[in-house]
Amino acid sequence: MLAIHCPLCGERPYTEFRYGGDASKRRPALGTMAPEAWHDYLFLFDNPKGPHREFWQHDQGCRQWLLVVRDTATNAVGEVILARNAGAGAGEGPGGR
Amino acid sequence: MYRYSLSRLVRHALSDRPWPRAWREAKPRSHYDVLIIGGGGHGLATAYYLAANHGMDRVAVVERAHIGAGNVGRNTTLVRSNYMMKGNTEFFEFSLKLWEGLSHELNFNVMLSQRGQIVLAHSPAQMDALARRGNIMRLNGIDAELLERAEVRRLLPYLDYSAAARFPVLGGLLQGRAGTVRHDAVAWGYARAADSLGVDIIEGCEVTGFLQDRSGVHGVETGRGRILADRVAIAVAGHSSHVAGLAGLRLPIESHLLQAFVTEPIKPFVNHVISFGAELFYISQSDKGGLVFGGHIDGFNSYTQRGQFPKVRQVAECAVALIPGMSRLKLLRHWAGIQDMTPDGGPFVCRTPIRHLYLNGGWCYQGFKATPAVGWCLAATIARDEEHPLVRCYALDRFARGAESLDEYGHGHWPYRH
Ligand SMILES: Cc1cc2nc3c(=O)[nH]c(=O)nc-3n(C[C@H](O)[C@H](O)[C@H](O)COP(=O)(O)OP(=O)(O)OC[C@H]3O[C@@H](n4cnc5c(N)ncnc54)[C@H](O)[C@@H]3O)c2cc1C
Ligand SMILES: [Zn+2]
């Protein structure tokens, strides 16, 4: 079974977590008027077969949002960090800042 | 075509002459009018209708593995047309009508079994929603019948009607013409019929790139060399993002796993297709006697084609909550398929921003029942270089245009929630 190593709680089964989708996207700055920028942000996905940066929330544990790198071809989980420590380059979680 | 008939069956039964191959083993030619990537149900049906409806005979289907290896051979075989969003309603009814004549059309028994599908309601609000869905269907000339609890109980006496039932059954919506189809037969039947009209079916041939310039696509690179084509269509189910990416397109699609399950065979028990209303769970019984069922996608992007165990447990819990008598059956097999999930749960059947390149993808849970209509409409779209009216709602730019939603359940724009 897929397990995710939460930096705060240790390795836990994925069923304790809620999936939050692609974390590689960057939300356009507020005030961006070009509809294409919002369209691409909301609707287009790289959908790679390989390493995928994604959000998971440990909602039956510490409730932190995490940024996980998982290989979609094998399910091997690589780096896991707290999403709030991911810095601006990581994009923003489903809940925003 | 070597036609199948009762007299042939008798003659073959009495002699030891083997049946001939159902389709040729074609080698790639250097040039085609239309090349279709992906030999699943959709690709094969498209090739068939290109030849049958539009008289095109220089058509090829290139398949990475073998015919039937993809989702056409992995799905739970349900066909129905109980959709209520405009666009979906008409399209899926057209498809069901094509299913109703398909065995004759293809001279191949696809074993359509119109045993009826019952969607259950477990709350007054769900009854209202089903009544609305049924009314929309009837207004579109589609059969639908709202059932009270007592009527459901008469048809499905084995559900849990006890006071302890976790989700009491209040009623349901019956579509009598819905049912199941033998999925392998669909792939083989279309392959054989397309082949007999001159279509080349090239197995073991993976597309690895496109030949393209500013004026559009002119062919593909494959593991078996370069093949030129005036028009190219992508019909690769779970791999749409990957193949479209080879042409430089980014799609509103994520790839997710869906699992399916079969129990040991038992005597006839579940005579309909049943959809649970409390969770996404659906069940029917195969002709061999196994109960065939499935639930939600696993819930996170994946190309592993190997499902997670917690889903097995969750689906089994649904099964037992609905049909307590299933608790002692053994699971015989389970497997997963990779499917394209989209932001509104609707598909894409359309031209693309690249000239001469057409896309059919994003079919989520629902592409098997769509197979004949996809083939019909995609063939017309390719032949006329303009979307067939029934698939105009399935355009790639619908989000950018803010077009009418296809979201049957109002889940919002997260592909993994559909
Ligand atoms: C478990 C499960 C249950 C389902 N149940 C139902 C159901 O009950 N009812 C329903 O309507 N739908 C159902 N579906 C959905 C349905 O099966 C699919 O939407 C539909 O089969 C997709 O179209 P297809 O048959 O053409 O796909 P496929 O059979 O997957 O065909 C695509 C083909 O493209 C090939 N391919 C991929 N990449 C390349 C390449 N680079 N070059 C060449 N070829 C390539 C693949 O090998 C594959 O054979 C289910 C799906 C799954 C996974
Ligand atoms: Zn934690």
Side-chain angles (χ1 to χ4, degrees), chain B residues 23-303:
Chain B
W23 63 88
R24 291 167 295 133
E25 188 181 337
K27 292 210 173 54
R29 285 191 255 167
S30 60
H31 178 267
Y32 290 94
D33 293 341
V34 180
L35 182 141
I36 294 158
I37 309 171
H42 291 190
L44 294 165
T46 305
Y48 170 71
Y49 292 113
L50 276 168
N53 293 358
H54 303 280
M56 301 182 90
D57 52 3
R58 292 160 52 84
V59 175
V61 177
V62 292
E63 164 55 46
R64 173 176 70 175
H66 58 269
I67 297 309
N71 289 351
V72 69
R74 291 169 185 269
N75 62 73
T76 41
T77 79
L78 310 183
V79 302
R80 57 186 169 86
S81 62
N82 55 353
Y83 286 74
M84 67 175 195
M85 301 306 282
K86 198 171 162 33
N88 285 343
T89 316
E90 300 87 333
F91 178 87
F92 285 100
E93 175 60 9
F94 178 67
S95 203
L96 188 54
K97 288 204 175 112
L98 289 177
W99 282 120
E100 288 172 332
L102 198 64
S103 293
H104 286 282
E105 166 99 18
L106 300 180
N107 179 235
F108 201 106
N109 189 358
V110 299
M111 293 173 145
L112 169 67
S113 158
Q114 292 178 293
R115 56 187 73 179
Q117 185 208 19
I118 299 174
V119 183
L120 297 170
H122 309 275
S123 68
Q126 279 189 322
M127 272 309 269
D128 290 348
L130 289 186
R132 174 169 177 245
R133 182 174 292 270
N135 285 338
I136 293 174
M137 290 165 64
R138 292 175 76 126
L139 285 171
N140 283 277
I142 303 168
D143 65 308
E145 200 181 323
L146 199 63
L147 306 176
E148 311 254 306
R149 176 179 161 97
E151 293 166 300
V152 175
R153 188 164 192 170
R154 191 175 54 78
L155 293 172
L156 314 175
Y158 43 81
L159 302 187
D160 187 354
Y161 299 98
S162 70
R166 175 68 185 77
F167 300 101
V169 174
L170 293 199
L173 185 67
L174 166 69
Q175 184 183 18
R177 287 162 60 239
T180 60
V181 175
R182 185 183 176 207
H183 50 11
D184 297 323
V186 175
W188 300 334
Y190 272 120
R192 170 170 167 271
D195 172 87
S196 78
L197 295 176
V199 171
D200 280 355
I201 294 165
I202 304 160
E203 297 173 83
C205 184
E206 177 165 1
V207 169
T208 54
F210 287 90
L211 306 170
Q212 71 190 105
D213 60 23
R214 286 238 204 90
S215 65
V217 161
H218 306 290
V220 294
E221 299 278 4
T222 76
R224 293 169 67 177
R226 210 166 246 214
I227 309 176
L228 299 178
D230 296 344
R231 295 173 188 190
V232 178
I234 300 173
V236 294
H239 288 83
S240 302
S241 295
H242 177 70
V243 175
L246 297 173
L249 287 177
R250 241 174 123 216
L251 301 180
I253 286 178
E254 282 189 336
S255 297
H256 287 260
L257 285 192
L258 182 63
Q259 304 193 46
F261 308 86
V262 177
T263 68
E264 58 190 323
I266 55 172
K267 289 198 171 160
F269 173 46
V270 175
N271 302 318
H272 301 79
V273 176
I274 308 170
S275 293
F276 198 17
E279 250 295 350
L280 184 53
F281 173 79
Y282 39 90
I283 184 165
S284 65
Q285 186 166 15
S286 77
D287 293 333
K288 282 189 282 186
L291 298 182
V292 181
F293 52 95
H296 270 291
I297 51 174
D298 274 16
F300 49 90
N301 303 30
S302 178
Y303 289 90

Side-chain angles (χ1 to χ4, degrees), chain A residues 6 9 58 62:
Chain A
C6 172
C9 312
H58 196 186
C62 60

